[in-house]
Structure formats: structure tokens, C-alpha cells
Amino acid sequence: GALGLEVETAKQVACADVLLLNKADVTPEAQRRRIAERLAAMNPTAVVLESSFSAVPLGSILGIHAFDRGRLSQTLDRLVLPSSSSGPAGKHKFCSAYDCSSCAVGHTHQGLCQGHDGHDNLIVGDHGIESLLLRSTTSLDLYCPDRVEAWLAQVLWEKTAGGVYRCKGLFRAPRQSASDEDGGVDKAAAATSAYALQGVGKLFEVEEAPRAFVSDSKFLFIGRGLQCRALEDGLRGCLWQS
């Protein structure tokens, strides 16, 4: 029915890398702006292109290397979600994972909010699509790539943290040579590698990104019914332990 079509449409928006806002020539600017803001709330990393008669440069929609690690780094670095909104896209704000008075329990990550589950790092709109950004607590936090991969398999295949449609991330891990040496975490932190994760539906990959610069690890989840605590706890379990 119509509800099922609406849910599928929202899911496709959440999974997209590029969104075309057509009929720009006959749509008032204020309405185009509202629609663009709504789309950005549903998928904060997608590029929104305005078009007339569906005419856009092919280079902007084909061969864009959506899973390229350099592109991923730029996307996450410039990710800025609205600090407040009273429109249909929902309300948003920044909160500190350590000082958030509205959270029932303490966090180990900083994020963006607002949502259910007592958490203030989730964006929820009336379209039902949610965006959750988790970041490492310090620049010294290191993650184990094998644990991240195993955890993502549970999240995407078994839906242990709600319905995740899309996920992206860049994180720091100890280099294999460094992690095998004696000296513990401090020595491993001095020699680290960047890793990238990308997931769409039930397909995902976690690969080393040697040319990417990662100051703080970031993990973005887009979906429906996201379970914040489950994602935070799972990510905490992926931290590197010497």
C-alpha cells in the first residue's frame, strides 16, 4: 500500500549517495530549500543536486567513486548536522557525551541528537529515518578491525541494533607491526593505520585506508529504529586491548 511505498522511498533516500531535486525551474526557492533540508536530515552525507528536466552533468552521478576512501574522509570531515530546527525534519542539537543531562546513563562517545532511548545523539524526523554519529572519546582511541568487522556483521545481518540501512566510518587502529610488539597501547598508538568502513543494506566492507588522515574516529549510522545503546556498547567492545 501507500505506507509501504513511503517506507521504501525513505529507505532509498537513506541509502543514496546523490539525490536529484528535479523541477527546480517551477518550484519556489523556499520550497526547494525546505525539501533539501528534509533530505539532508534523512541522509546527511548525500549530495543534493537541483535539476530541471532531469538534466545534470553525467559526471556528478556516474563514476563518482562513492566507496572511495578519500571521498569518505572528506564526507565525514564536512559532516555538519543542523543545531536546531522546528520544521518537519525534526529537532537537532549537539550534546556532550559526558555532560548530557537528559541522558539516563553515561556515554563513551560524543554525538549528535535528538531521539528516543534517552539519548541525545540521534536525529529523528517524522519520516522515520534516523541518523546517529558516534565519535571516539579521544584521539588516542584505537579499534580492532577484526572486531569491527564481526560486530558490523551482527548489526547488519542480525539487526541487533535496529534497522541500519547505511553506515560509514573512519577509524584508527594499531599497525600490525606495532600491535605485535611489546610496549602496550602507548607504543601501538604511536604507529597507527586508518581504516574505512562502508555498508549498504547487508553488504559492507572494512578495509585499510593508508592515505586517509583520521584525527578522531567517526561512525555514522542511518536507518530506522536505531538502538543507540546497542550501537555504543558494540562499538566500545571493538576498542583495541593490548
Side-chain angles (χ1 to χ4, degrees):
L3 180 60
L5 181 60
E6 180 179 342
V7 170
E8 181 60 30
T9 301
K11 183 177 180 179
Q12 290 187 22
V13 170
C15 292
D17 292 295
V18 180
L19 297 166
L20 296 185
L21 188 54
N22 198 34
K23 296 186 181 296
D25 56 321
V26 295
T27 306
E29 180 180 355
Q31 185 175 355
R32 298 202 310 269
R33 184 170 59 251
R34 287 196 300 270
I35 295 174
E37 290 175 352
R38 186 180 179 89
L39 293 174
M42 298 173 71
N43 187 338
T45 64
V47 176
V48 179
L49 300 177
E50 292 189 354
S51 65
S52 299
F53 303 100
S54 300
V56 294
L58 290 181
S60 63
I61 58 175
L62 298 179
I64 60 175
H65 305 289
F67 273 42
D68 181 80
R69 296 156 197 160
R71 177 187 172 96
L72 174 61
S73 179
Q74 294 176 2
T75 297
L76 292 178
D77 283 344
R78 67 171 181 259
L79 178 60
V80 177
L81 298 176
S83 58
S84 64
S85 173
S86 58
K91 297 180 180 179
H92 319 82
K93 64 179 178 178
F94 287 92
C95 91
S96 168
Y98 309 105
D99 304 319
C100 181
S101 60
S102 61
C103 292
V105 296
H107 294 261
T108 57
H109 299 80
Q110 289 181 331
L112 303 169
C113 53
Q114 130 187 29
H116 55 71
D117 210 17
H119 283 68
D120 270 355
N121 55 350
L122 184 70
I123 286 182
V124 184
D126 61 359
H127 40 65
I129 299 298
E130 304 161 348
S131 301
L132 174 67
L133 177 66
L134 299 178
R135 294 179 288 190
S136 56
T137 55
T138 74
S139 60
L140 297 179
D141 281 347
L142 303 176
Y143 294 85
C144 174
D146 291 340
R147 290 179 186 172
V148 172
E149 189 169 352
W151 170 65
L152 272 182
Q154 294 179 342
V155 169
L156 298 181
W157 298 348
E158 301 176 19
K159 299 186 182 300
T160 57
V164 177
Y165 298 155
R166 186 74 190 266
C167 57
K168 300 181 179 185
L170 280 173
F171 63 92
R172 296 172 64 242
R175 289 181 185 153
Q176 188 63 37
S177 58
S179 61
D180 288 341
E181 295 174 356
D182 294 333
V185 174
D186 289 341
K187 193 166 186 177
T192 63
S193 294
Y195 278 78
L197 72 86
Q198 290 262 23
V200 180
K202 295 185 177 182
L203 302 177
F204 73 94
E205 64 181 23
V206 177
E207 294 185 337
E208 190 171 4
R211 291 192 295 272
F213 172 75
V214 182
S215 57
D216 296 301
S217 299
K218 298 179 182 180
F219 303 83
L220 175 68
F221 300 89
I222 303 174
R224 189 184 298 271
L226 299 181
Q227 298 177 20
C228 300
R229 290 192 181 96
L231 289 169
E232 290 178 333
D233 291 344
L235 193 55
R236 187 188 309 118
C238 297
L239 285 170
W240 177 263
Q241 298 176 356
S242 59

